[in-house]
Amino acid sequence: MSFNSFGHLFRVTTWGESHGPALGATVDGVPPGIAIDEPAIQYWLDRRKPGQSRFTTQRREADAVRILSGVFEGQTTGTPVQLMIENTDQRSKDYSDIRDKFRPGHAAITYWQKYGIRDYRGGGRSSARETAARVAAGGLARAVLADLAPGVEIRGYLVRIGPHAIDRERFDRDEIENNPFWSPDRRAAEIWADYLDGLRKSGNSVGAIVEVTARGVPAGLGAPVYAKLDTDLAAAMMSINAVKGVEIGEGMNAARLTGEDNADEIFMGNDGRPVYSSNHAGGILGGISTGQEIVVRFAVKPTSSILRPRRTITMAGEATEIVTKGRHDPCVGIRAVPVGEAMMACVLLDHLLLHRGQVGGEIGHTRGRIG
Amino acid sequence: MSFNSFGHLFRVTTWGESHGPALGATVDGVPPGIAIDEPAIQYWLDRRKPGQSRFTTQRREADAVRILSGVFEGQTTGTPVQLMIENTDQRSKDYSDIRDKFRPGHAAITYWQKYGIRDYRGGGRSSARETAARVAAGGLARAVLADLAPGVEIRGYLVRIGPHAIDRERFDRDEIENNPFWSPDRRAAEIWADYLDGLRKSGNSVGAIVEVTARGVPAGLGAPVYAKLDTDLAAAMMSINAVKGVEIGEGMNAARLTGEDNADEIFMGNDGRPVYSSNHAGGILGGISTGQEIVVRFAVKPTSSILRPRRTITMAGEATEIVTKGRHDPCVGIRAVPVGEAMMACVLLDHLLLHRGQVGGEIGHTRGRIG
Amino acid sequence: MSFNSFGHLFRVTTWGESHGPALGATVDGVPPGIAIDEPAIQYWLDRRKPGQSRFTTQRREADAVRILSGVFEGQTTGTPVQLMIENTDQRSKDYSDIRDKFRPGHAAITYWQKYGIRDYRGGGRSSARETAARVAAGGLARAVLADLAPGVEIRGYLVRIGPHAIDRERFDRDEIENNPFWSPDRRAAEIWADYLDGLRKSGNSVGAIVEVTARGVPAGLGAPVYAKLDTDLAAAMMSINAVKGVEIGEGMNAARLTGEDNADEIFMGNDGRPVYSSNHAGGILGGISTGQEIVVRFAVKPTSSILRPRRTITMAGEATEIVTKGRHDPCVGIRAVPVGEAMMACVLLDHLLLHRGQVGGEIGHTRGRIG
Amino acid sequence: MSFNSFGHLFRVTTWGESHGPALGATVDGVPPGIAIDEPAIQYWLDRRKPGQSRFTTQRREADAVRILSGVFEGQTTGTPVQLMIENTDQRSKDYSDIRDKFRPGHAAITYWQKYGIRDYRGGGRSSARETAARVAAGGLARAVLADLAPGVEIRGYLVRIGPHAIDRERFDRDEIENNPFWSPDRRAAEIWADYLDGLRKSGNSVGAIVEVTARGVPAGLGAPVYAKLDTDLAAAMMSINAVKGVEIGEGMNAARLTGEDNADEIFMGNDGRPVYSSNHAGGILGGISTGQEIVVRFAVKPTSSILRPRRTITMAGEATEIVTKGRHDPCVGIRAVPVGEAMMACVLLDHLLLHRGQVGGEIGHTRGRIG
């Protein structure tokens, strides 16, 4: 990862601010001959779009994506794909309240300190709007994956909002699309709805944990020792706004386990591939995929844009209080689900290409055979 | 991060296997004119060296570092520094027991699947021995930091082994060097000693959590949106062997907090710099350092090299059991402390140089002034 | 350089095709606080714009640049600057003549072989239109240079068209802006005008040599041994469409010189900096700038778009002839002058930032002092 | 290219100085399962070794390579290969003559200005000894090419020394190995021998032009627009010590040709692949290989280490004269031939892997078929 780019071969550079004319993603290294058009990418953007339930910001953005390059007659050409999203909802507004104050927990102060520039209109480059560009790039990555590795299935969902976690016993994959929280546990979704209604009324916000999984990933993706698959996934997820922790498989809980408990025992599957008694590893050993389900979790902190007054300072260094009005998400973790999926898609595709480059062979076959 | 290299400007490439003739780090982008010699780097390697207490592996490695390039008359020249460590303890041994079996939880199976190569003598590139090269590079990074940013103080320690966490109430920075666990809580160290003695006798292993902190880091390090300081720290820590989770500040716990609770309120300090009422952010906002203490935690899984029999398969795909004899760490997390510190040093230095390159100005001064 | 990006810290990614909706440059790593606006960049684009004399293509493109991100209230913010140029002159046209034929000397055949995609409308990504994006990025680089290193003066010009070279005895820097060829030799410009008129009538094209110079470049830019200043300049120039050779200082002629003749003898200048008796080195020794004028030359081959029939094959592999009608440059080398200048600006700025990152110090001062 | 590394996927980092303990190449991204051992690499190093004829330096270096990592039981493992060459001929010597003087045409002055470090013992990092590491890496690249693309045949030779060029009419590929100049023209070799004998006696040196060719390169290697094959070759060659110019195909001469003359007409070959009437393009169109012979030339300037007195300054800034005694090459261009071949091998392999990563397919087959 380098400034505003990530990926080794499938390389995504996002650009743009929350209140500028447009934002987007410049995607380089796309394989040629992949069928793609704007609706196919728009589909994924619409899932992230704000204002789809009362639990997300009411800011109205069309988030309509345009493909400006790299696609000809419905196919990728192998050259850079420029995905642009114009900002349409830049309502003129009175910033006098906040333009001189730093919001606690917000990047405005560090951006100011680093660059000496204050974009008082909104988060600028640090805004969660940047993630729209990631979702667009992820939509493209998914189209390529569908062609090269059609068995890969990426699925994200929320597993915790504030004090309320899902019950893994009630996990139902089919439930995820049926509620505004991408919750795999219908009961948790009900609890979260009540909880967030209360929180919103009190002008507060709350954190969440997102889990993103990928099935059907071939064994062998990832590379020692700094381009490990888990290393790149950790970087990808940690780069999302407001993320403070990333876990693979057992994650932080691995610290509590013994070697005996943590070992995923190995057996021979009927299809001639290894199968495992468990998946503490989250599908990754030594930084390389095992062929099991990849499991990543990340924690999203509560947004700093709240109606509760907090003590802070002005740009002149004077003590003051701040209250952030406006249309903000009480739980930004909800809209982080499609973003986490997009990052998973980009990282997996990148490693698929990287592996193909170094090791060769047909996708899905391993160089070392067992049995 | 790219295959076996990390860093943007201060760029470290590690190489070598556990049972080859040598391993090391090729370090590029080192600022010139920094005083350095082999003893200064050896100091840090000795802290990681195995066999210093009964709680780490009894493998005997001198881990003696040689500087092969990039230093002239005691100063860095600005050209690549090659740090080489010869492997001396390659005792000849009978591998017949394990050369055809895959150890559950170990990277041997994924390396085999990816590359079609089986280095049955040991972990090869996936061995924790690779981390010696990181510590050597970290020693060099520390020497540069001492010159460019002398106020930076990096300190790591263990905060959990298996079921036993430290008590933050008993946190004593001076205690860290006084026990074989880098524990800041003397009582926890005693508990861990008993616990590990029992575990070792039973042939088992256990995980741990390491916390690495840095004080005196100037505000303004890190860059949007994929070279964030926390993104690079997450990648750096996740790339260490056996790490399964990384947290910044509140980490995964941020999911449980409200925006009101999570906000680090801002005040003006006596030295004309902002101070904060708390440090939920772990010293990083929007990917950029705030000037507060940087706080990173990572979980190390239990080693898979245990005396307890586990079910697995042979390279021929036949079901079998495996027991790993040899000189292994019951808790590899202990020796991960100096490794985490080394990665912190490398990442901070890299971002210091990156910031100086893009933004300029004297180190420690921010472009945007407050007050 | 990596696919469609170049630069280490000042990193430019160009995107877009000749006949798509738009093309542009995503510029990352821009220092903050630099005054810039669209007219300042447009100034440089207008110099490259086609149709300014009868010696360049009559294709009419406004080449109007828009800044979509990275600039706020007239200053760079330190985040990616997106420079977009819409394609306006995509006149609908009958391609039936050429859509199935490969033009000798044109990239259509290799793009087809590599990607299996045929953009029959024009050069697609291989079109010289891509260089508009470079010129836009170069305009931004110049604005940064004007701020950080105001003494740097970049100047390009033509030194040869076909059989007719300039006479160095008649070299007049003030003449360059006074003729449609950027010729420093007024007499050569007259000869070229006649020569090109004849060539154009006969439906042929011709090559040229561009020389790009930079004065006022501080000593010390460039780094061993693969980020040498001359290495990066060679790559930058060779990456321009149709370029087949690059020279620094004496260039290919260095092969004819003896060591005695080639040595630029060193003296102490009045300002306490070294001066040289000559500049065979072209301002670069060991890949690092000496403080003398940087001198780069590159050869541009004649365009393959000519009215003279050439033998070729169809996509079906059948023998045929091809004639390229349309509005093409008889000598693309002319419009390569602003492109070469832009690449020089980008490379110099990149190395200025790279040097500042690794070595530090005020711009223009050297770490090693003489005298 | 980045400081001391080059290559996208097959990534070579060289390290070490002429008078340090050792130098070498850290090679990352090597495909696994390639047969390699030290003699296979030594073979190529021996071709570059000094002291093989009276026309090269009499410095005696064994240049014995050791493989320290990345190879197990005679095969590459896919992890970094460390190639180390110890410096054995560091004869103690009196440097008092030259330690305070800058040699005209030598990098000592720019290194000093940039880094403030003076390695008075020899060229340090700027020494041509660095190219031994390239040749070692190139030997490894050749082994991989022999496995993946066995039809590729790389061949370099001298085409000019000072005023004396070869006669293309007398070009005989079989002659290259039969003379100490890698000359394809036996008569030129005789002329060069006489010429260099005279030059050596007079204590002077001279430049040369090396041509490096590759046959059997599949069509489709290279990528728009900054990772073009010719861009990467230009950078690779220009990064070699003392190189001042690089040409592809017609090179600088392309400026003199008309479009009609320069067009390589296309026909259908008997094997179903395109063939060309000529090769002005040097095997590369639009930055992508055509399948024709790749032809690169580069000019090597005369070494600055001569016995003829030149005027210069001391580190104190005082005017003086310098004469360089010692064992130097009268024409460093001779030993640049194996270096150029090595760079060609590394670049071709890198692009083969890059193409396989992005586009896929079996090596040697093109995605777009003709006919």
Side-chain angles (χ1 to χ4, degrees), chain A residues 105 110 208 234-247 252 297-302, chain B residues 157 159 168 209-214 217 221-222 227-238 243-257 262 264 278-299 340 343-344 347-348 351:
Chain A
T110 50
M237 301 309 173
M238 192 63 97
S239 75
I240 300 172
N241 305 50
V243 171
K244 301 302 285 185
V246 180
E247 301 186 315
M252 299 306 291
R297 268 182 313 284
F298 58 90
V300 183
K301 70 174 185 183
Chain B
Y157 39 85
V159 297
R168 295 265 170 186
I209 295 182
V210 176
E211 187 165 290
V212 182
T213 62
V217 176
L221 303 193
K228 288 175 172 170
L229 186 54
D230 38 5
T231 297
D232 281 357
L233 285 170
M237 300 310 172
M238 192 63 98
V243 172
K244 300 302 285 185
V246 180
E247 301 186 315
I248 307 290
E250 282 290 340
M252 299 306 290
N253 192 52
R256 297 170 188 251
L257 300 183
N262 188 60
D264 300 315
S278 52
N279 190 13
H280 299 291
I284 303 174
L285 279 177
I288 299 173
S289 60
T290 62
Q292 290 181 276
E293 188 175 45
I294 308 280
V295 182
V296 183
R297 270 182 311 285
F298 57 89
M343 297 310 280
M344 173 71 88
V347 171
L348 289 180
H351 274 278

Side-chain angles (χ1 to χ4, degrees), chain C residues 98-142:
Chain C
I98 58 162
R99 68 180 292 166
D100 285 336
K101 298 179 182 176
F102 296 112
R103 195 187 314 164
H106 191 274
I109 190 168
T110 51
Y111 270 66
W112 167 251
Q113 288 181 301
K114 182 179 190 79
Y115 297 118
I117 300 285
R118 179 75 198 272
D119 183 345
Y120 48 79
R121 301 163 307 171
R125 186 70 184 140
S126 75
S127 164
R129 257 196 83 57
E130 183 271 338
T131 61
R134 301 175 188 234
V135 172
L140 179 54
R142 282 185 191 256

Side-chain angles (χ1 to χ4, degrees), chain A residues 1 3 8 110 114-115 130 205 220 222 226 228 239 244 246 248 259 265 281 285 308 311 315 355 367, chain B residues 1 3 8 110 114-115 130 205 220 222 226 228 239 244 246 248 259-260 265 281 285 311 355 367 371:
Chain A
M1 298 203 160
F3 287 116
H8 305 266
T110 50
K114 183 179 189 79
Y115 296 118
E130 182 271 340
S205 65
Y226 304 117
K228 287 174 172 170
S239 75
K244 301 302 285 185
V246 180
I248 307 290
E265 294 186 306
L285 278 177
R308 313 288 278 250
R311 287 173 296 174
M315 291 185 72
H355 178 83
R367 194 176 138 82
Chain B
M1 297 202 159
F3 287 116
H8 306 267
T110 51
K114 181 179 191 80
Y115 297 117
E130 182 270 339
S205 65
Y226 304 117
K228 288 175 172 170
S239 75
K244 300 302 285 185
V246 180
I248 307 290
E260 189 173 13
E265 293 185 306
L285 279 177
R311 288 173 297 173
H355 179 81
R367 194 176 140 82

Side-chain angles (χ1 to χ4, degrees), chain C residues 258-260, chain D residues 196-206 303-310 323-324 328-330:
Chain C
T258 65
E260 189 173 13
Chain D
L196 286 183
D197 280 336
L199 206 66
R200 202 154 35 91
K201 275 169 206 149
S202 71
N204 212 338
S205 65
V206 74
T303 178
S304 57
S305 304
I306 53 175
L307 285 165
R308 313 289 276 252
R310 305 307 297 159
V323 163
T324 313
H328 298 286
D329 289 284

